[in-house]
Amino acid sequence: MEFGIMVTIFIFSAQRLLRRISSSKIPKTSLISLFLWNYSYFSIGVNVNLVLGLFNYFFFNSRVRNYVKKTSGPKYTVEDVEKAVAAMKKGNKTYKQISEEYNIPITVIFNRLKGRQTAITCTKKGRLPALAINVENDIEKCLIAGAQMGQPCDKAELKELVREYVVINNISTPFTNNTPGDDWYYLFMKRHPSLSFKKPEQLQKLRKDARKPDIIYDFYDKLQQVYIDNNISDSAFVFNCDESGFQTDPSKLKAIGQKCIALSRISGGSGRESISVLACCAANGIYLPPFIIFKGKGVQARWTSDKSYPGTLYAVSNNGWMEETLFYNWLNTMFVDYINALRKERNMEQQKVVLLFDGHCSHSSLRIVQLAIQNNIILVRFPSHLTDRLQPLDKCVFGPLKTAWNRLLIQFGKDMIGKGAGRLTKGMFSEMLGKLWNNAMNPSNIISGFSTTGLFPFDKYKFPVNEFDPVDLEEYLKCKANEESNDPSVSTIEQPDIIQHNSLDMHAYEVNNNQCFEQSLTPAVAEDQISLEPSTSSDNISVSSKDIISIFSNQLIQYKTNNTISVTKDRVPRLRAAKYGEVLTTEDVLKRLEEATSKKNLIKYPGKRGRPKKAIDDVENIVVEQLVDDIDDAVYHSSEDDCNDNSLDLSIEEVIYNTPIWSQIKPGVFLLVDFIGGNRKKQNFKYVCLVKRVDEDDGDILVQGLKKYNEIGTDFYIVENDLSDITVEMILA
């Protein structure tokens, strides 16, 4: 093949030389050099082009994707084409005259006039796409619909959708095996800029199911009624509180590094430690001091800092999370004191205050509700699994706050280079959190959080309507319309314009006894009123329609059918989740809490073998009785020879324990430690431990447990893997 190409080039160059020789006078001495120059010039060019062409054919099998047109687009517009076609239909002028008048090529006028494949509104150069424009628009709507339903398509699924459409409709395309390639995919995405290839976020099905109009609008209606009944019109008396974990190592911010080499950032901790902080803010942008919850048995002085935010509160819990006792103390001390001072400052002693929070179990109890009623506080709980959409702190405050916190952690790590392990101690955490509260707690973000969620100023339609299931939304509007028709006193329900266009027929997704997919189509998809109604059944799914929308809906149904597993199991009685929002400071809720508290006090928790469970105060007696039982068992099972040899010495000397002093706690010292265990984490167990490491900054002590070597507990041995972190409060002696 290459030899034939070279011969052709040689003949072509020889002919070119003969023409040049006959047309001009060239010395005979330069003919040979000129021939060789022309031959080498053409052969090198052809060889380079040949190599590049073969390389592109075998490795890419497509044309250049990043091709840039050498000429600009047409200078005429659609209106010019329409005028030229109208003038040509009159028959007064020729093609050439109209082409010169409107500056439009004759072929363009001729094709538009004869009704060729090119549309009259098309002013672009190049070939038409393999699929019609209306089909590509339907594909775009299907992709958006699938994304809104939580079932987005990737590149392979899109190609399979197009392949099935081409095969069913017997369309002639340049696709290999009727499957579009990457070039068609890239050009399709370029022709539809509203689409983008991105990584989807993980959305729990519980959160998707919770986004129902009856749940959300019920919460807004209750909140609006609270505002009306209590005459709340000042943003200073509407609050939101929530807890969030602040990590002790940076995790979110990106950095610059070398390509193809892993990038790491040195930190002093494991990257999995976090400290809970409760934040509270008002709708006018005012925020309260933070409430820090450490993990431990008691707050130590070294954990606090003089440079922390003024008024910061500290507390501890077993796991470092919020508990009912801690929330009650915060409500009784910080929040009640603040609102009383606010009322006194504004001379509004009887003004009621609204406090919104999530449905965590630590936020609702009998004494919390009683305390709120006594201080004219209205407690409002958000619906379950909707705080990411309804809570102002989650919506606009915690995001920028965590970003600023990561920057502080990065700067802290740089400042600690060469100064030790670089671990963020609890005292340093309090100091850095004070800087964060002073600099990053932006009042404008707080105000935006309340306004974007529609909590204050009140606007129930601030919730995005495109996140609703269209079927649920239609049923909700019908129910409201029926209520209004039955009750003339009810005012006409106001609907945003975006709902009036949302009239999709989504019955094509019904599978297995009207079990439909969770859908939520955007108004851009719904405004054309696409009807998704392929003739399908739950037993035999087949494609009877040839349009792209029917094929797409059948793919979703097939996916749902293949992934639906019917498992029959016995019903387990469980507490019903509180889906709807609720006002807790009411007589009904108070009565319900009182009944639950009284029933809880009457429950007797039986111990093993039907014996009543011993109180926590009698744990020391339990340990002593167990020690006596062990000694008795050892005496009973011992042989007579052992008794004669006096090998078992039952004499127990009195031991005097030393009071624990921090300066004396060093590696190698034995301690008597009080651990909490049992099924309900309420039993105390005392163990002898060996100190392995002492952290003087945080007050944490790493100890290694000891185990009995003999039956009576006079000899012990060290257990290698029995390591635990303790605090000073757990040391008995």
Side-chain angles (χ1 to χ4, degrees):
M1 179 178 177
E2 185 177 359
F3 177 76
I5 295 176
M6 296 300 299
V7 171
T8 304
I9 297 301
F10 180 79
I11 296 174
F12 177 75
S13 59
Q15 292 177 354
R16 186 169 181 273
L17 281 174
L18 293 175
R19 287 196 299 269
R20 294 184 62 182
I21 292 172
S22 61
S23 61
S24 60
K25 295 181 180 180
I26 302 176
K28 296 181 179 180
T29 56
S30 61
L31 289 177
I32 298 176
S33 60
L34 183 62
F35 174 77
L36 294 176
W37 180 84
N38 279 276
Y39 172 75
S40 60
Y41 172 77
F42 283 105
S43 62
I44 292 174
V46 171
N47 286 330
V48 171
N49 291 330
L50 178 63
V51 171
L52 291 177
L54 292 175
F55 181 80
N56 181 50
Y57 177 78
F58 286 108
F59 288 91
F60 295 100
N61 196 20
S62 62
R63 63 182 180 83
V64 181
R65 292 174 184 165
N66 298 326
Y67 174 76
V68 180
K69 292 184 177 181
K70 304 298 187 297
T71 59
S72 59
K75 297 180 180 181
Y76 55 87
T77 61
V78 177
E79 291 76 9
D80 295 337
V81 176
E82 293 177 350
K83 292 179 181 178
V85 172
M88 191 64 199
K89 289 182 179 180
K90 295 180 180 180
N92 299 330
K93 298 180 181 179
T94 62
Y95 280 104
K96 184 176 181 180
Q97 292 175 347
I98 295 178
S99 176
E100 293 176 353
E101 181 180 354
Y102 293 97
N103 195 18
I104 300 176
I106 297 176
T107 56
V108 173
I109 302 174
F110 181 79
N111 289 333
R112 302 306 192 275
L113 187 63
K114 298 298 182 181
R116 297 290 177 86
Q117 183 181 3
T118 305
I120 195 172
T121 57
C122 180
T123 59
K124 296 182 180 180
K125 291 185 177 181
R127 294 181 299 176
L128 293 175
L131 301 178
I133 301 299
N134 59 341
V135 175
E136 286 197 354
N137 293 335
D138 290 341
I139 293 176
E140 178 185 7
K141 295 175 183 178
C142 290
L143 294 176
I144 296 176
Q148 293 296 328
M149 288 185 290
Q151 300 293 339
C153 296
D154 57 10
K155 183 167 67 174
E157 293 173 344
L158 174 60
K159 292 181 179 180
E160 179 62 24
L161 175 66
V162 175
R163 186 200 67 80
E164 188 173 354
Y165 172 76
V166 170
V167 170
I168 292 175
N169 293 273
N170 196 18
I171 300 176
S172 177
T173 61
F175 302 151
T176 303
N177 297 328
N178 294 322
T179 302
D182 292 340
D183 287 324
W184 178 88
Y185 167 76
Y186 293 134
L187 292 176
F188 171 80
M189 298 296 290
K190 186 177 181 180
R191 289 191 294 269
H192 300 274
S194 61
L195 301 176
S196 64
F197 190 73
K198 63 183 72 174
K199 183 178 180 180
E201 297 181 359
Q202 297 296 331
L203 178 62
Q204 293 181 349
K205 190 175 184 301
L206 291 174
R207 294 188 178 274
K208 181 66 177 178
D209 295 341
R211 297 176 183 179
K212 296 183 180 297
D214 55 338
I215 296 177
I216 294 173
Y217 289 140
D218 175 78
F219 167 74
Y220 278 109
D221 293 340
K222 291 178 180 178
L223 183 62
Q224 185 181 21
Q225 194 64 34
V226 168
Y227 289 162
I228 295 174
D229 296 342
N230 299 279
N231 193 20
I232 297 176
S233 58
D234 193 346
S235 59
F237 294 99
V238 180
F239 292 85
N240 173 222
C241 68
D242 188 27
E243 306 89 8
S244 183
F246 286 78
Q247 294 186 346
T248 57
D249 296 297
S251 60
K252 287 186 177 181
L253 295 183
K254 296 182 180 180
I256 301 174
Q258 187 177 357
K259 285 186 177 180
C260 303
I261 295 179
L263 183 64
S264 60
R265 177 182 281 120
I266 299 175
S267 61
S270 61
R272 294 174 293 181
E273 300 178 2
S274 62
I275 299 176
S276 300
V277 178
L278 184 141
C280 183
C281 57
N284 62 348
I286 301 299
Y287 51 91
L288 274 64
F291 179 35
I292 306 175
I293 305 172
F294 294 117
K295 180 181 179 181
K297 295 295 181 180
V299 179
Q300 301 183 20
R302 63 170 64 90
W303 296 353
T304 63
S305 176
D306 297 336
K307 298 180 181 180
S308 62
Y309 191 81
T312 302
L313 291 184
Y314 304 88
V316 293
S317 63
N318 293 332
N319 51 15
W321 300 343
M322 176 61 73
E323 296 178 353
E324 187 273 340
T325 304
L326 303 182
F327 187 78
Y328 174 81
N329 292 331
W330 172 84
L331 187 69
N332 190 24
T333 56
M334 179 179 290
F335 188 74
V336 171
D337 292 345
Y338 175 79
I339 61 174
N340 288 336
L342 180 64
R343 290 166 179 165
K344 186 176 181 180
E345 178 185 352
R346 301 199 176 192
N347 196 17
M348 304 169 67
E349 300 292 340
Q350 301 300 324
Q351 177 63 45
K352 291 189 176 182
V353 177
V354 176
L355 178 61
L356 300 110
F357 49 67
D358 55 25
H360 194 263
C361 59
S362 62
H363 297 164
S364 57
S365 67
L366 179 59
R367 60 174 181 171
I368 289 177
V369 175
Q370 291 175 347
L371 178 65
I373 294 176
Q374 293 173 2
N375 293 274
N376 289 333
I377 302 174
I378 303 174
L379 303 179
V380 181
R381 184 182 62 197
F382 288 111
S384 300
H385 309 295
L386 283 171
T387 54
D388 58 330
R389 289 291 183 267
L390 296 178
Q391 186 161 237
L393 285 172
D394 288 340
K395 189 75 173 178
C396 298
V397 180
F398 280 149
L401 201 65
K402 295 293 183 66
T403 303
W405 174 252
N406 275 274
R407 292 195 181 97
L408 288 178
L409 291 177
I410 293 174
Q411 186 61 38
F412 170 78
K414 295 179 180 180
D415 296 339
M416 293 298 293
I417 295 178
K419 297 181 181 180
R423 182 182 179 186
L424 181 65
T425 62
K426 295 178 181 178
M428 295 178 181
F429 177 87
S430 303
E431 180 179 345
M432 289 181 57
L433 190 68
K435 296 180 181 179
L436 182 72
W437 234 249
N438 281 319
N439 301 326
M441 198 58 122
N442 194 345
S444 61
N445 292 340
I446 299 174
I447 297 174
S448 298
F450 279 90
S451 62
T452 54
T453 55
L455 300 183
F456 200 96
F458 182 82
D459 186 3
K460 65 187 301 182
Y461 297 114
K462 282 296 183 71
F463 190 89
V465 185
N466 54 8
E467 295 188 5
F468 290 142
D469 185 338
V471 177
D472 293 338
L473 182 60
E474 185 177 359
E475 292 179 356
Y476 171 78
L477 296 177
K478 288 181 180 178
C479 293
K480 285 295 182 181
N482 294 333
E483 292 178 1
E484 294 170 5
S485 60
N486 297 331
D487 188 2
S489 61
V490 180
S491 59
T492 303
I493 185 172
E494 181 184 357
Q495 303 177 13
D497 295 336
I498 195 171
I499 297 180
Q500 296 175 0
H501 301 288
N502 201 353
S503 58
L504 276 175
D505 186 3
M506 306 298 293
H507 297 290
Y509 297 100
E510 296 182 359
V511 180
N512 296 332
N513 298 327
N514 295 329
Q515 293 180 357
C516 61
F517 284 101
E518 294 298 332
Q519 313 136 20
S520 178
L521 304 185
T522 56
V525 181
E527 63 183 359
D528 290 338
Q529 299 184 3
I530 303 175
S531 178
L532 307 178
E533 293 185 348
S535 59
T536 60
S537 63
S538 60
D539 299 329
N540 184 16
I541 297 177
S542 62
V543 179
S544 60
S545 300
K546 296 183 178 182
D547 59 284
I548 193 72
I549 300 174
S550 299
I551 297 173
F552 176 75
S553 62
N554 277 293
Q555 285 187 355
L556 290 181
I557 295 173
Q558 185 70 36
Y559 176 80
K560 176 68 175 180
T561 306
N562 295 336
N563 291 275
T564 301
I565 303 176
S566 59
V567 180
T568 59
K569 58 182 181 179
D570 298 335
R571 291 180 58 86
V572 179
R574 300 179 60 185
L575 294 176
R576 186 174 61 180
K579 295 183 179 180
Y580 291 82
E582 189 177 14
V583 180
L584 300 182
T585 50
T586 59
E587 295 295 335
D588 295 338
V589 176
L590 187 62
K591 184 178 180 180
R592 189 172 70 238
L593 291 174
E594 290 176 352
E595 293 177 356
T597 304
S598 60
K599 290 180 180 180
K600 184 178 179 181
N601 295 332
L602 292 176
I603 294 177
K604 295 182 180 180
Y605 298 96
K608 294 182 179 180
R609 300 178 183 178
R611 300 176 183 175
K613 192 173 181 180
K614 296 181 179 294
I616 300 177
D617 299 337
D618 299 335
V619 173
E620 295 184 0
N621 297 331
I622 296 175
V623 176
V624 174
E625 291 175 3
Q626 184 66 34
L627 179 60
V628 174
D629 293 340
D630 293 340
I631 297 175
D632 292 341
D633 294 338
V635 175
Y636 180 80
H637 293 289
S638 61
S639 62
E640 294 181 359
D641 297 335
D642 293 336
C643 295
N644 295 331
D645 295 340
N646 295 327
S647 60
L648 185 61
D649 188 8
L650 300 181
S651 59
I652 301 176
E653 297 180 0
E654 183 180 0
V655 180
I656 301 176
Y657 298 107
N658 297 326
T659 304
I661 302 176
W662 177 258
S663 59
Q664 298 178 355
I665 301 175
K666 299 178 181 179
V669 177
F670 290 93
L671 302 174
L672 182 62
V673 184
D674 183 17
F675 290 94
I676 298 179
N679 295 332
R680 300 179 61 86
K681 303 297 181 182
K682 292 185 178 180
Q683 293 184 5
N684 293 63
F685 299 93
K686 299 176 177 61
Y687 293 97
V688 179
C689 301
L690 176 65
V691 178
K692 301 293 292 183
R693 187 181 69 244
V694 179
D695 191 344
E696 297 183 357
D697 295 330
D698 287 346
D700 295 336
I701 305 171
L702 180 64
V703 297
Q704 190 172 15
L706 276 69
K707 190 174 182 180
K708 291 189 300 182
Y709 185 77
N710 55 6
E711 293 292 340
I712 62 175
T714 57
D715 297 331
F716 298 86
Y717 67 92
I718 298 176
V719 182
E720 295 296 334
N721 297 328
D722 189 7
L723 298 175
S724 304
D725 288 326
I726 65 172
T727 59
V728 181
E729 291 77 10
M730 301 172 62
I731 301 175
L732 299 178

